[in-house]
Amino acid sequence: MNKIAGLIASAALVTGVASAASAQQWNMPTPYSDGVFHTANIIQFAADLKAATGGEFDITVHSAGSLFKHADIKNAVRSNQVQIGEFFLSRLSNENAAFGLDSLPFLATSYDDAARLWAAQKPVITKLLAKQGLIPLFAVPWPAQGLYTKSEIKTVGDLAGLKFRAYNAALETFATLAGASPTQVEAPDIPQAFATGQVEAMITSPSTGASSKAWDFLSHYTPINAWVPKNIVVVSKRAFDALDADNRAALLSAAATAEKRGWAMSKAEAAAKTKIMADNGIIVVQPSAELMAGLKKIGAKMLADLEATASPEAKSIIATYQAN
Ligand code: PCA
């Protein structure tokens, strides 16, 4: 019996099976821990949906990669092992660069940029995901990505040789071009990776810095605001099409509310979580002009490389984004 069949069987034992025709019991794997605002937003999304449908539409959230590992969540939805799931959108850049543009260094660095980029990206990736039987429901950005180290970083040269935690291909390239040595580590595994010396520096949001208690294993945070990447929630088209009209409307309405709430939560996070880090002893250093110039040069090279080789879809998103 696979994990889902087991879950369904045990749920059926508890509830005594039969339910009204419109009752829906969905499972939703997510990658990040319960303390992370994305997860809190999704738990609220599930609660809103349940309340709006008088308890009929019930989504069980399986956070922190507990049901499916992050790398497997998209395919779990695609293959209808679960109806809905969340993942870090730019992880799909290996399928098409269109998915990865929100992680391209210094292309979109503010929430306004991120909103414009998402407006350009959404119609294109909606088409790409439709080919896989997936429908995007909503996307929520992380706060802008900053630099975490064990000493002050004054120039790109100071990053040379550092063992660097990465979470996707773009960050791996960025770290490599900065002379560092990247290793992929999932967010819930960050404390362990630093504790064992597997990594010694990272780029992530103040949210993840605080949720992984960065003060336990490093000392400096430099808000370079390098990009504003997003999580996306997708639903299987088959599961969506099987919903009755009321449940479908309730799902779309809860998703629209969650998207709005998620962006607002994200905007409140950067300052609040930077303060928590400072309160716990992290030294917050404003980046030097020299560091920013060096990092932006790497970003410009990555954009030029991408424009030389990218898919037509990715190019069209960049053109739309830069025209607006
Ligand atoms: N936190 C996640 C993705 C981006 C972010 O801010 C992570 O570090 O894995």
Side-chain angles (χ1 to χ4, degrees), residues 17-36:
V17 195
S19 52
S22 61
Q24 291 291 332
Q25 166 63 63
W26 283 14
N27 286 297
M28 178 168 190
T30 77
Y32 303 99
S33 313
D34 287 347
V36 173

Side-chain angles (χ1 to χ4, degrees), residues 18-294:
S19 52
S22 61
Q24 291 291 332
Q25 166 63 63
W26 283 14
N27 286 297
M28 178 168 190
T30 77
Y32 303 99
S33 313
D34 287 347
V36 173
F37 78 95
H38 284 285
T39 313
N41 187 36
I42 281 174
I43 289 170
Q44 188 61 47
F45 157 73
D48 290 350
L49 181 60
K50 195 169 176 181
T53 57
E56 290 288 294
F57 199 156
D58 190 2
I59 297 184
T60 304
V61 178
H62 304 270
S63 58
S66 56
L67 184 59
F68 286 97
K69 285 188 295 197
H70 194 177
D72 300 328
I73 291 177
K74 192 210 65 175
N75 281 336
V77 185
R78 186 180 180 182
S79 60
N80 287 290
Q81 295 182 75
V82 289
Q83 299 82 0
I84 184 170
E86 179 202 30
F87 53 88
F88 193 59
L89 177 62
S90 55
R91 291 185 70 114
L92 304 190
S93 66
N94 61 335
E95 296 181 11
N96 191 310
F99 293 113
L101 296 173
D102 65 19
S103 290
L104 203 74
F106 303 105
L107 180 65
T109 59
S110 67
Y111 283 105
D112 284 350
D113 289 352
R116 277 193 302 118
L117 180 57
W118 178 225
Q121 234 180 345
K122 190 176 177 183
V124 177
I125 68 157
T126 298
K127 275 193 202 148
L128 292 172
L129 290 171
K131 291 185 194 155
Q132 304 187 29
L134 297 171
I135 303 170
L137 262 194
F138 62 92
V140 173
W142 292 87
Q145 305 291 290
L147 177 63
Y148 295 75
T149 50
K150 297 187 178 194
S151 60
E152 189 175 345
I153 300 296
K154 295 192 177 122
T155 69
V156 171
D158 293 341
L159 296 171
L162 291 183
K163 288 185 272 176
F164 214 92
R165 180 258 170 171
Y167 53 59
N168 68 6
L171 181 45
E172 207 170 304
T173 303
F174 191 61
T176 304
L177 290 171
S181 309
T183 307
Q184 297 287 334
V185 176
E186 284 298 327
D189 302 328
I190 289 173
Q192 169 86 353
F194 275 91
T196 59
Q198 192 193 357
V199 296
E200 53 194 349
M202 64 180 175
I203 287 179
T204 187
S205 59
S207 309
T208 300
S211 68
S212 46
K213 296 192 165 51
W215 48 87
D216 284 347
F217 47 80
L218 52 78
S219 54
H220 286 69
Y221 172 61
T222 312
I224 55 172
N225 297 339
W227 59 93
V228 181
K230 295 180 295 290
N231 285 0
I232 190 165
V233 171
V234 301
V235 60
S236 135
K237 185 172 185 317
R238 190 165 98 185
F240 186 81
D241 289 348
L243 294 174
D244 64 30
D246 287 350
N247 277 338
R248 205 178 286 182
L251 179 69
L252 293 175
S253 161
T257 303
E259 184 160 66
K260 235 192 205 155
R261 182 178 53 227
W263 282 70
M265 288 170 99
S266 182
K267 288 175 188 175
E269 281 270 310
K273 295 296 159 77
T274 302
K275 180 173 186 317
I276 287 176
M277 292 197 288
D279 289 349
N280 281 282
I282 295 268
I283 303 163
V284 181
V285 196
Q286 290 311 314
S288 70
E290 201 180 345
L291 175 64
M292 289 306 284

Side-chain angles (χ1 to χ4, degrees), residues 96 98 124 309-318:
N96 191 310
V124 177
T309 59
S311 61
E313 290 88 357
K315 285 183 186 156
S316 79
I317 294 169
I318 295 173

